[in-house]
Amino acid sequence: MYPSQPVAPEGPRHAQQLGSHPGQPPRMMNMNQGGKASAIASFVTYVKALEALDPRSFPEEYAEHTDRIRELKPFLRAHGILDVMDIKNPEVAALIGV
């Protein structure tokens, strides 16, 4: 017979990050695990969300996404992503200064 396995307490099956709001994407996605793929995934997520928003209808959300994209610039630059990747959206390219 196998020894009994520890059982996780009942509750949400996902971990909630400190400071995040329900229904809102996390500020950074798994930046602890290497960073490169996570920075790229976060960047793409926020750029796609930014492109889907109308800045006149949703100015606060639009500003939040632009801030998050700017926050990712050091990670993208540190991993050399901006050296090998072209940003097609001119507005996003201007946000990160490429």
Side-chain angles (χ1 to χ4, degrees):
M1 187 164 218
Y2 296 107
S4 63
Q5 298 292 322
V7 178
E10 289 299 318
R13 301 236 182 244
H14 63 284
Q16 180 140 7
Q17 293 183 332
L18 295 175
S20 66
H21 301 286
Q24 186 177 28
R27 302 256 323 154
M28 300 283 180
M29 296 179 175
N30 298 327
M31 289 309 293
N32 305 356
Q33 301 173 355
K36 189 186 318 184
S38 297
I40 295 170
S42 294
F43 178 74
V44 170
T45 299
Y46 294 128
V47 168
K48 291 289 185 184
L50 184 77
E51 291 176 339
L53 284 174
D54 178 16
R56 293 178 301 261
S57 300
F58 302 99
E60 291 175 14
E61 291 86 351
Y62 194 85
E64 284 181 35
H65 289 309
T66 57
D67 290 343
R68 290 178 181 168
I69 290 169
R70 283 187 196 111
E71 288 174 358
L72 287 168
K73 180 182 177 179
F75 296 104
L76 298 172
R77 183 147 327 272
H79 292 293
I81 303 304
L82 298 178
D83 297 332
V84 298
M85 186 172 87
D86 289 332
I87 308 298
K88 292 183 180 180
N89 183 322
E91 184 178 355
V92 173
L95 278 175
I96 58 175
V98 293

